[in-house]
């Protein structure tokens, strides 16, 4: 997501810095002490401007929610949204998902959300896709037993690639659908992301699946 640098960045960051997840001396996220709630940890990677994680926090007020985003100014907007909406169970992290297994405690994530991940359509960039084999190995380290990955995208090429990648890398797939908004079951508790609103308004169908380590 390309953006112009934000005005008053320092002041704006100061206002929301309480929402950053603290890291210990090894750069590992301090989870349990950082939340006022006891529930399991849900992680979103590539949270964009925060519509999904803020919506999720209202659906799951007793869970610990953590949103990771690569681009600092985008993350700041997500943090400002969470602050405005006064959700108290969401924390944020500015990081590249390549390092996720060093930052998030092993076996701690019961749900991992990947929403509208960048498709990186050229073959030479396939390694950067958040569902490439390298990433799926990283996720295995941080997922709790029976932990699940929830993946949705409008990009059919990325979806087909991801289906194959999950299956070929030790995951089983359930709850597949190729038109999420028309599905009576899966659409009921669906939380729309910024990209989802935009692309479904343009007529793109939303694909979704759930993956679990076999
Ligand atoms: C296409 S946008 C989707 C944003 C949001 N999930 C949505 O659905 O509206 C992808 C987001 O993932 C972030 N991203 C891409 N690669 C990443 C990585 N390796 N680590 C963390 N975030 C990443 C981008 O900066 C961008 O904000």
């Amino acid at each position: 997501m390309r953006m112009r640098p934000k005005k008053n960045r320092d002041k704006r960051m100061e206002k929301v810095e309480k929402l950053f997840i603290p890291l210990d001396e090894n750069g590992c996220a301090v989870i349990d002490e950082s939340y006022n709630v006891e529930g399991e940890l849900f992680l979103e990677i590539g949270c964009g401007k925060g519509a999904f994680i803020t919506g999720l926090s209202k659906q799951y007020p007793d869970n610990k929610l953590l949103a990771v985003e690569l681009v600092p100014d985008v993350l700041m907007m997500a943090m400002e949204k969470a602050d405005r909406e006064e959700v108290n169970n969401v924390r944020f992290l500015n990081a590249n998902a390549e390092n996720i297994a060093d930052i998030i405690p092993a076996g701690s994530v019961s749900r991992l959300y990947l929403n509208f991940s960048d498709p990186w359509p050229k073959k030479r960039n396939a390694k950067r896709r958040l569902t490439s084999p390298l990433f799926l190995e990283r996720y295995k380290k941080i997922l709790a037993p029976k932990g699940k990955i929830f993946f949705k995208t409008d990009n059919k090429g990325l979806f087909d690639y991801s289906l194959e990648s999950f299956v070929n890398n030790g995951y089983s797939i359930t709850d597949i659908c190729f038109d999420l908004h028309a599905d009576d079951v899966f659409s009921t508790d669906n939380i729309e992301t910024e990209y989802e609103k935009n692309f479904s308004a343009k007529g793109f169908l939303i694909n979704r699946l759930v993956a679990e380590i076999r």
Side-chain angles (χ1 to χ4, degrees):
M1 199 181 272
R2 276 170 210 274
M3 312 192 75
R4 285 205 201 124
K6 292 287 164 212
K7 282 191 187 154
N8 302 322
R9 187 168 198 285
D10 291 351
K11 259 196 190 156
R12 288 170 63 181
M13 278 312 289
E14 226 171 83
K15 189 160 181 273
V16 293
E17 69 186 1
K18 59 181 185 273
L19 296 178
F20 273 122
I21 191 97
L23 302 180
D24 68 15
E25 64 281 6
N26 300 315
C28 187
V30 178
I31 302 293
D32 288 336
E33 299 85 332
S34 307
Y35 295 86
N36 302 321
V37 288
E38 297 284 316
E40 294 171 344
L41 178 64
F42 295 175
L43 173 70
E44 184 188 12
I45 295 182
C47 70
K49 296 178 190 166
F52 179 82
I53 202 77
T54 306
L56 194 69
S57 79
K58 293 172 188 166
Q59 219 172 67
Y60 293 96
D62 300 323
N63 283 88
K64 300 174 184 120
L65 270 49
L66 178 57
V68 175
E69 170 55 50
L70 182 63
V71 179
D73 281 351
V74 176
L75 184 73
M76 179 171 73
M77 293 169 78
M79 294 171 81
E80 288 177 333
K81 183 172 178 62
D83 193 43
R84 270 196 310 277
E85 301 200 15
E86 299 182 346
V87 294
N88 70 1
N89 60 334
V90 187
R91 298 290 177 271
F92 293 87
L93 179 68
N94 180 210
N96 189 328
E98 283 177 14
N99 305 317
I100 205 74
D102 299 324
I103 301 171
I104 303 297
S108 65
V109 175
S110 63
R111 289 184 178 205
L112 168 55
Y113 292 95
L114 300 172
N115 294 320
F116 298 82
S117 307
D118 293 326
W120 294 107
K122 291 194 176 134
K123 214 174 170 183
R124 67 167 186 271
N125 289 321
K127 271 198 213 155
R128 296 178 182 224
R129 297 175 193 152
L130 293 186
T131 50
S132 70
L134 268 175
F135 279 100
L136 297 191
E137 286 308 313
R138 293 172 181 133
Y139 305 151
K140 281 181 188 168
K141 295 185 183 145
I142 61 171
L143 280 169
K146 297 204 180 299
K148 290 182 166 54
I149 300 178
F150 293 76
F151 175 61
K152 59 179 172 174
T153 179
D154 62 301
N155 188 299
K156 193 66 172 58
L158 179 66
F159 193 70
D160 291 344
Y161 166 87
S162 304
L163 269 173
E164 223 179 290
S165 185
F166 279 117
V167 170
N168 292 342
N169 290 282
Y171 289 79
S172 56
I173 305 276
T174 56
D175 301 351
I176 301 183
C177 92
F178 300 98
D179 185 0
L180 172 58
H181 294 186
D183 189 291
D184 290 344
V185 178
F186 299 131
S187 64
T188 49
D189 60 354
N190 182 49
I191 299 165
E192 279 193 297
T193 76
E194 286 92 359
Y195 267 66
E196 186 169 354
K197 276 199 187 106
N198 190 4
F199 283 99
S200 62
K202 289 179 180 151
F204 288 86
L205 301 184
I206 310 302
N207 306 274
R208 69 91 79 169
L209 62 80
V210 178
E212 192 174 332
I213 301 167
R214 281 201 294 269

